[in-house]
Short mmCIF file of all heavy atoms in Angstrom, two decimals:
data_model
loop_
_atom_site.label_atom_id
_atom_site.label_comp_id
_atom_site.label_asym_id
_atom_site.label_seq_id
_atom_site.Cartn_x
_atom_site.Cartn_y
_atom_site.Cartn_z
N ALA Y 1 10.60 -15.06 9.00
CA ALA Y 1 10.45 -14.05 7.95
C ALA Y 1 11.45 -12.92 8.14
O ALA Y 1 11.77 -12.54 9.26
CB ALA Y 1 9.03 -13.50 7.98
N LEU Y 2 11.92 -12.42 7.03
CA LEU Y 2 12.84 -11.29 7.07
C LEU Y 2 12.07 -10.02 7.39
O LEU Y 2 10.86 -9.93 7.11
CB LEU Y 2 13.54 -11.16 5.73
CG LEU Y 2 14.44 -12.33 5.34
CD1 LEU Y 2 14.94 -12.14 3.92
CD2 LEU Y 2 15.61 -12.45 6.30
N PRO Y 3 12.73 -8.99 7.95
CA PRO Y 3 12.02 -7.75 8.28
C PRO Y 3 11.38 -7.10 7.06
O PRO Y 3 10.30 -6.52 7.15
CB PRO Y 3 13.12 -6.86 8.86
CG PRO Y 3 14.16 -7.79 9.36
CD PRO Y 3 14.10 -8.98 8.45
N GLY Y 4 12.02 -7.20 5.90
CA GLY Y 4 11.45 -6.62 4.69
C GLY Y 4 10.16 -7.29 4.29
O GLY Y 4 9.21 -6.65 3.82
N HIS Y 5 10.09 -8.61 4.47
CA HIS Y 5 8.87 -9.33 4.14
C HIS Y 5 7.74 -8.99 5.11
O HIS Y 5 6.59 -8.87 4.71
CB HIS Y 5 9.12 -10.84 4.14
CG HIS Y 5 10.08 -11.27 3.08
ND1 HIS Y 5 11.03 -12.24 3.30
CD2 HIS Y 5 10.24 -10.87 1.80
CE1 HIS Y 5 11.73 -12.42 2.20
NE2 HIS Y 5 11.28 -11.58 1.27
N ILE Y 6 8.08 -8.83 6.36
CA ILE Y 6 7.07 -8.47 7.36
C ILE Y 6 6.50 -7.10 7.05
O ILE Y 6 5.29 -6.88 7.10
CB ILE Y 6 7.66 -8.53 8.78
CG1 ILE Y 6 8.02 -9.98 9.13
CG2 ILE Y 6 6.69 -7.95 9.79
CD1 ILE Y 6 8.77 -10.13 10.43
N LEU Y 7 7.39 -6.14 6.70
CA LEU Y 7 6.94 -4.80 6.37
C LEU Y 7 6.04 -4.81 5.14
O LEU Y 7 5.01 -4.14 5.10
CB LEU Y 7 8.15 -3.88 6.15
CG LEU Y 7 7.84 -2.43 5.88
CD1 LEU Y 7 7.16 -1.81 7.09
CD2 LEU Y 7 9.09 -1.67 5.54
N LEU Y 8 6.42 -5.61 4.13
CA LEU Y 8 5.60 -5.71 2.93
C LEU Y 8 4.23 -6.30 3.27
O LEU Y 8 3.20 -5.81 2.79
CB LEU Y 8 6.31 -6.58 1.89
CG LEU Y 8 5.56 -6.78 0.58
CD1 LEU Y 8 5.39 -5.46 -0.16
CD2 LEU Y 8 6.26 -7.80 -0.28
N LEU Y 9 4.20 -7.33 4.10
CA LEU Y 9 2.92 -7.92 4.48
C LEU Y 9 2.06 -6.95 5.27
O LEU Y 9 0.84 -6.98 5.19
CB LEU Y 9 3.16 -9.20 5.29
CG LEU Y 9 3.73 -10.38 4.49
CD1 LEU Y 9 4.06 -11.54 5.44
CD2 LEU Y 9 2.76 -10.82 3.42
N LEU Y 10 2.70 -6.07 6.05
CA LEU Y 10 1.94 -5.08 6.81
C LEU Y 10 1.41 -3.97 5.91
O LEU Y 10 0.38 -3.37 6.21
CB LEU Y 10 2.80 -4.49 7.92
CG LEU Y 10 3.15 -5.44 9.07
CD1 LEU Y 10 4.10 -4.76 10.04
CD2 LEU Y 10 1.88 -5.88 9.78
N LEU Y 11 2.10 -3.70 4.80
CA LEU Y 11 1.67 -2.61 3.92
C LEU Y 11 0.60 -3.05 2.91
O LEU Y 11 -0.08 -2.22 2.35
CB LEU Y 11 2.87 -2.04 3.17
CG LEU Y 11 3.79 -1.16 4.01
CD1 LEU Y 11 4.97 -0.71 3.17
CD2 LEU Y 11 3.06 0.03 4.56
N ILE Y 12 0.45 -4.35 2.67
CA ILE Y 12 -0.54 -4.81 1.69
C ILE Y 12 -1.97 -4.43 2.10
O ILE Y 12 -2.72 -3.90 1.27
CB ILE Y 12 -0.39 -6.33 1.45
CG1 ILE Y 12 0.89 -6.59 0.66
CG2 ILE Y 12 -1.60 -6.88 0.71
CD1 ILE Y 12 1.20 -8.05 0.47
N PRO Y 13 -2.38 -4.64 3.35
CA PRO Y 13 -3.75 -4.21 3.70
C PRO Y 13 -3.94 -2.71 3.59
O PRO Y 13 -5.02 -2.24 3.23
CB PRO Y 13 -3.92 -4.67 5.16
CG PRO Y 13 -2.89 -5.71 5.36
CD PRO Y 13 -1.77 -5.38 4.45
N VAL Y 14 -2.89 -1.94 3.87
CA VAL Y 14 -3.00 -0.48 3.75
C VAL Y 14 -3.21 -0.11 2.29
O VAL Y 14 -4.05 0.75 1.96
CB VAL Y 14 -1.73 0.20 4.32
CG1 VAL Y 14 -1.77 1.69 4.07
CG2 VAL Y 14 -1.60 -0.11 5.79
N ALA Y 15 -2.46 -0.75 1.40
CA ALA Y 15 -2.60 -0.45 -0.02
C ALA Y 15 -3.96 -0.87 -0.55
O ALA Y 15 -4.57 -0.15 -1.35
CB ALA Y 15 -1.49 -1.14 -0.80
N THR Y 16 -4.46 -2.02 -0.11
CA THR Y 16 -5.77 -2.46 -0.60
C THR Y 16 -6.90 -1.60 -0.03
O THR Y 16 -7.92 -1.42 -0.68
CB THR Y 16 -6.01 -3.93 -0.26
OG1 THR Y 16 -5.90 -4.11 1.14
CG2 THR Y 16 -5.03 -4.82 -0.98
N ALA Y 17 -6.72 -1.08 1.16
CA ALA Y 17 -7.75 -0.22 1.74
C ALA Y 17 -7.83 1.13 1.03
O ALA Y 17 -8.88 1.77 1.02
CB ALA Y 17 -7.48 0.00 3.22
N GLN Y 18 -6.74 1.54 0.41
CA GLN Y 18 -6.72 2.83 -0.27
C GLN Y 18 -7.33 2.78 -1.66
O GLN Y 18 -7.64 3.80 -2.24
CB GLN Y 18 -5.27 3.34 -0.38
CG GLN Y 18 -4.61 3.63 0.94
CD GLN Y 18 -5.21 4.83 1.64
OE1 GLN Y 18 -5.62 5.78 1.01
NE2 GLN Y 18 -5.28 4.77 2.96
N THR Y 19 -7.49 1.58 -2.22
CA THR Y 19 -8.04 1.48 -3.57
C THR Y 19 -9.56 1.41 -3.49
O THR Y 19 -10.13 0.83 -2.58
CB THR Y 19 -7.51 0.23 -4.29
OG1 THR Y 19 -7.85 -0.92 -3.54
CG2 THR Y 19 -6.00 0.30 -4.47
N THR Y 20 -10.20 2.01 -4.45
CA THR Y 20 -11.66 2.00 -4.48
C THR Y 20 -12.14 0.90 -5.42
O THR Y 20 -11.58 0.72 -6.51
CB THR Y 20 -12.19 3.37 -4.97
OG1 THR Y 20 -11.62 3.64 -6.25
CG2 THR Y 20 -11.81 4.47 -4.01
N PRO Y 21 -13.18 0.16 -5.03
CA PRO Y 21 -13.69 -0.88 -5.92
C PRO Y 21 -14.39 -0.25 -7.13
O PRO Y 21 -14.98 0.82 -7.02
CB PRO Y 21 -14.65 -1.66 -5.04
CG PRO Y 21 -15.04 -0.72 -3.96
CD PRO Y 21 -13.88 0.22 -3.78
N GLY Y 22 -14.30 -0.90 -8.22
CA GLY Y 22 -14.94 -0.40 -9.43
C GLY Y 22 -14.45 -1.18 -10.63
O GLY Y 22 -13.77 -2.19 -10.50
N PRO Y 23 -14.80 -0.70 -11.83
CA PRO Y 23 -14.39 -1.43 -13.02
C PRO Y 23 -12.86 -1.42 -13.21
O PRO Y 23 -12.31 -2.30 -13.84
CB PRO Y 23 -15.10 -0.70 -14.16
CG PRO Y 23 -15.33 0.67 -13.64
CD PRO Y 23 -15.54 0.51 -12.16
N CYS Y 24 -12.21 -0.43 -12.67
CA CYS Y 24 -10.76 -0.33 -12.83
C CYS Y 24 -10.14 -0.21 -11.44
O CYS Y 24 -9.51 0.79 -11.11
CB CYS Y 24 -10.39 0.87 -13.70
SG CYS Y 24 -8.62 0.95 -14.05
N SER Y 25 -10.35 -1.20 -10.64
CA SER Y 25 -9.83 -1.18 -9.27
C SER Y 25 -8.31 -1.23 -9.28
O SER Y 25 -7.71 -2.11 -9.86
CB SER Y 25 -10.41 -2.38 -8.52
OG SER Y 25 -9.64 -2.67 -7.40
N GLY Y 26 -7.68 -0.30 -8.62
CA GLY Y 26 -6.24 -0.29 -8.51
C GLY Y 26 -5.54 0.56 -9.54
O GLY Y 26 -4.35 0.80 -9.44
N CYS Y 27 -6.23 1.02 -10.55
CA CYS Y 27 -5.57 1.90 -11.51
C CYS Y 27 -5.93 3.34 -11.15
O CYS Y 27 -6.99 3.64 -10.67
CB CYS Y 27 -5.98 1.56 -12.94
SG CYS Y 27 -7.74 1.72 -13.24
N GLY Y 28 -5.01 4.20 -11.39
CA GLY Y 28 -5.23 5.60 -11.05
C GLY Y 28 -4.15 6.07 -10.10
O GLY Y 28 -3.28 5.30 -9.70
N PRO Y 29 -4.21 7.33 -9.74
CA PRO Y 29 -3.15 7.88 -8.89
C PRO Y 29 -3.24 7.34 -7.45
O PRO Y 29 -4.31 6.99 -6.96
CB PRO Y 29 -3.42 9.38 -8.92
CG PRO Y 29 -4.88 9.50 -9.21
CD PRO Y 29 -5.22 8.32 -10.09
N LEU Y 30 -2.09 7.27 -6.82
CA LEU Y 30 -2.05 6.85 -5.42
C LEU Y 30 -2.46 8.00 -4.53
O LEU Y 30 -2.22 9.17 -4.85
CB LEU Y 30 -0.63 6.41 -5.04
CG LEU Y 30 -0.08 5.18 -5.73
CD1 LEU Y 30 1.38 4.98 -5.34
CD2 LEU Y 30 -0.87 3.96 -5.33
N SER Y 31 -3.05 7.68 -3.41
CA SER Y 31 -3.39 8.74 -2.47
C SER Y 31 -2.12 9.25 -1.82
O SER Y 31 -1.09 8.58 -1.78
CB SER Y 31 -4.36 8.21 -1.41
OG SER Y 31 -3.69 7.29 -0.57
N LEU Y 32 -2.19 10.45 -1.31
CA LEU Y 32 -1.01 11.08 -0.71
C LEU Y 32 -0.55 10.30 0.52
O LEU Y 32 0.66 10.11 0.72
CB LEU Y 32 -1.32 12.53 -0.33
CG LEU Y 32 -0.17 13.33 0.24
CD1 LEU Y 32 0.96 13.42 -0.77
CD2 LEU Y 32 -0.63 14.71 0.64
N GLN Y 33 -1.47 9.81 1.34
CA GLN Y 33 -1.10 9.07 2.54
C GLN Y 33 -0.37 7.77 2.19
O GLN Y 33 0.62 7.42 2.82
CB GLN Y 33 -2.33 8.74 3.39
CG GLN Y 33 -3.01 9.94 3.98
CD GLN Y 33 -4.07 10.53 3.05
OE1 GLN Y 33 -4.33 10.00 1.98
NE2 GLN Y 33 -4.64 11.65 3.46
N LEU Y 34 -0.86 7.07 1.18
CA LEU Y 34 -0.22 5.82 0.77
C LEU Y 34 1.17 6.09 0.20
O LEU Y 34 2.13 5.38 0.51
CB LEU Y 34 -1.08 5.09 -0.26
CG LEU Y 34 -0.51 3.78 -0.79
CD1 LEU Y 34 -0.35 2.78 0.33
CD2 LEU Y 34 -1.39 3.24 -1.89
N LEU Y 35 1.28 7.13 -0.62
CA LEU Y 35 2.57 7.48 -1.20
C LEU Y 35 3.58 7.86 -0.13
O LEU Y 35 4.73 7.41 -0.15
CB LEU Y 35 2.40 8.61 -2.21
CG LEU Y 35 3.61 8.98 -3.03
CD1 LEU Y 35 4.06 7.79 -3.85
CD2 LEU Y 35 3.30 10.15 -3.93
N VAL Y 36 3.16 8.65 0.85
CA VAL Y 36 4.05 9.04 1.95
C VAL Y 36 4.46 7.82 2.77
O VAL Y 36 5.62 7.66 3.15
CB VAL Y 36 3.38 10.11 2.84
CG1 VAL Y 36 4.15 10.32 4.13
CG2 VAL Y 36 3.25 11.42 2.09
N GLY Y 37 3.54 6.92 3.01
CA GLY Y 37 3.85 5.71 3.76
C GLY Y 37 4.83 4.81 3.03
O GLY Y 37 5.76 4.26 3.64
N LEU Y 38 4.66 4.66 1.73
CA LEU Y 38 5.57 3.83 0.95
C LEU Y 38 6.97 4.44 0.88
O LEU Y 38 7.97 3.74 0.99
CB LEU Y 38 5.02 3.61 -0.46
CG LEU Y 38 3.80 2.71 -0.55
CD1 LEU Y 38 3.25 2.69 -1.97
CD2 LEU Y 38 4.11 1.31 -0.07
N VAL Y 39 7.04 5.76 0.72
CA VAL Y 39 8.35 6.43 0.69
C VAL Y 39 9.03 6.32 2.04
O VAL Y 39 10.24 6.05 2.12
CB VAL Y 39 8.18 7.90 0.25
CG1 VAL Y 39 9.46 8.68 0.46
CG2 VAL Y 39 7.76 7.97 -1.21
N ALA Y 40 8.28 6.48 3.12
CA ALA Y 40 8.87 6.37 4.46
C ALA Y 40 9.35 4.94 4.73
O ALA Y 40 10.43 4.74 5.27
CB ALA Y 40 7.84 6.79 5.52
N ALA Y 41 8.56 3.95 4.33
CA ALA Y 41 8.97 2.56 4.52
C ALA Y 41 10.21 2.24 3.69
O ALA Y 41 11.11 1.55 4.16
CB ALA Y 41 7.82 1.62 4.14
#
């Protein structure tokens, strides 16, 4: 695997942990921690 793919695979659980379950799971603003992590990556 390429380093970019490994980083993406490592960030997927972080992104899913930040979303709240509900009728519109995944829609809405990103949390500040997730946004900072994505920008840093």
Side-chain angles (χ1 to χ4, degrees):
L2 296 173
H5 295 141
I6 294 173
L7 184 64
L8 180 64
L9 290 174
L10 291 175
L11 286 177
I12 289 175
V14 174
T16 57
Q18 296 291 326
T19 59
T20 56
C24 185
S25 160
C27 60
L30 294 174
S31 69
L32 183 61
Q33 294 88 3
L34 179 62
L35 187 61
V36 169
L38 290 174
V39 169

